[in-house]
Amino acid sequence: MNHLLTIGELEPTIIQAILDLSLDLEESGEPILKQKNVGFVFEKPSLRTKIGTEVAINQLGGDVVQIEADLLLANGKAVPFTCRESLYDAMMNVSQWCDAVFARVYSHTTLEKMKQYGTIPIVNALCNLHHPMQALADMLTIQQECGKDQPLNISFVGDANNVAFSLTEIGLMMGHTVIFSGPKLYSWSDEKESYFGQLALKYGGKFIRTTDPAEGVYNADVVYTDTFVSMGEEHLFEEKIRHFQPYQVNEKLFSKAKSTAGFMHCLPAHRGYEVTDGVIDHKNSWVYQQAKNRKVVSKGVFALLLDEKLKKNKLNGLKNQSIKTKLTAGN
Ligand code: CP
Ligand code: NVA
């Protein structure tokens, strides 16, 4: 693993190794990021991703450098005097000082260019298509609540967007059934549905799509939703709310899931829109555990990308061996 832009570029064994390593590091606090500097570039606002990851890096002895998005991204245009410098030049400069870049951008293409132009690892902190760090924290939360061995029904209700995409990938790759319910107009393209079908086939899970939220939530172990109006789509507020109103996760809808089902949301939540107070504050709501795990999984991801011993081993054997043993053995 040299970068982390999407969940789909990982393997299930690597995903599990990241989660196990993250828990080990959370417990041991081993300062394996000492003298490492991670540049943070955020084109959009963030609470959980930014603060959770900054605290994670600090707790492992590393430092975070905030880079103004305008300096690095500048709309990707290399037009003299309308932006400071090309993304190529900016990335080559940042690569001289930083050990990795953690970037939240509008367009996934920007991340691809950053990866191509720089010489250091790029980690996706959310883009229009993916939110891999969220999905890792979500899978950790699901495993903590439901264990690792049982195949589960993970029901996503709402918008076919970045969070839903990465959750669907990780759910299917870990062998679970993912049921998506949302309005047809905002659902997955045939191409994406076929990709999910292939993941299901490869890893032994199942992907189901419906427009009926009650059907989508029926017998679920996990009910997940995200905002109906994502960052940058504020102008679509009225139109989207109209289409998504039947997909609100309220007490009535949530009651169709198993009685033990957990409620999940990446947050920020818009109470009264995609979720009611009664569900987000329900005793089976895991939303703050998810938020806590945003910090935890950042430890595993940045350790794997930046720790020389782990990098050299490319995770070989990590499945069966704890990080502590591995580091002590000096591998
Ligand atoms: N869930 C999430 O990514 O939250 P932020 O936008 O606050 O980082
Ligand atoms: N889909 C949301 C997720 C926020 C964490 C957005 O892109 O704004």
Side-chain angles (χ1 to χ4, degrees), residues 42 44-51 104 125-126 131 134 163 224 226 231 265-268 294:
F42 279 67
K44 306 181 192 184
S46 171
L47 179 67
R48 283 143 290 270
T49 310
K50 201 176 199 175
I51 310 300
R104 171 168 286 196
L126 178 146
H131 199 359
Q134 179 70 52
V163 168
Y224 199 121
D226 179 15
M231 289 181 273
H265 192 310
C266 53
L267 306 180
R294 298 300 313 278

Side-chain angles (χ1 to χ4, degrees), residues 251-266:
E251 292 85 328
K252 188 170 169 221
L253 186 64
F254 192 51
S255 72
K256 304 205 183 297
K258 287 183 183 163
S259 59
T260 51
F263 172 72
M264 299 182 79
H265 192 310
C266 53

Side-chain angles (χ1 to χ4, degrees), residues 20-144:
D20 293 345
L21 172 63
S22 299
L23 288 173
D24 270 346
L25 290 170
E26 175 71 1
E27 196 191 314
S28 71
E30 201 148 2
I32 65 172
L33 294 184
K34 221 167 155 190
Q35 302 201 336
K36 301 290 183 190
N37 287 285
V38 179
F40 275 32
V41 191
F42 279 67
E43 277 191 308
K44 306 181 192 184
S46 171
L47 179 67
R48 283 143 290 270
T49 310
K50 201 176 199 175
I51 310 300
T53 304
E54 181 160 355
V55 170
I57 290 167
N58 288 339
Q59 286 182 345
L60 296 183
D63 284 301
V64 164
V65 186
Q66 302 290 343
I67 303 171
E68 283 172 43
D70 282 354
L71 285 181
L72 197 59
L73 302 169
N75 299 323
K77 290 180 203 136
V79 182
F81 310 113
T82 64
C83 74
R84 249 177 139 246
E85 58 196 310
S86 69
L87 184 57
Y88 174 81
D89 283 338
M91 279 309 300
M92 280 305 289
N93 278 265
V94 171
S95 299
Q96 311 306 314
W97 316 306
C98 290
D99 299 285
V101 165
F102 189 43
R104 171 168 286 196
V105 298
Y106 280 97
S107 166
H108 186 73
T109 311
T110 307
L111 294 169
E112 295 283 4
K113 285 185 186 157
M114 291 170 92
K115 183 172 138 180
Q116 187 191 340
Y117 297 158
T119 59
I120 53 176
I122 306 297
V123 179
N124 185 353
L126 178 146
C127 65
N128 56 331
L129 304 179
H130 304 269
H131 199 359
M133 299 297 279
Q134 179 70 52
L136 288 167
D138 296 338
M139 189 44 65
L140 180 60
T141 308
I142 290 170
Q143 291 188 352
Q144 286 170 333

Side-chain angles (χ1 to χ4, degrees), residues 1-2 21 25 30-38 60 99-100 121 298-315 318 323-324 326-328 330-331:
M1 180 170 119
N2 297 320
L21 172 63
L25 290 170
E30 201 148 2
I32 65 172
L33 294 184
K34 221 167 155 190
Q35 302 201 336
K36 301 290 183 190
N37 287 285
V38 179
L60 296 183
D99 299 285
S298 290
K299 293 186 178 179
V301 168
F302 282 96
L304 277 180
L305 289 170
L306 299 180
D307 182 83
E308 291 309 320
K309 286 177 193 156
L310 287 167
K311 247 168 59 180
K312 210 171 88 193
N313 274 294
K314 293 204 189 316
L315 286 176
L318 256 180
I323 174 68
K324 277 178 280 185
K326 200 148 197 79
L327 290 175
T328 318
N331 286 331

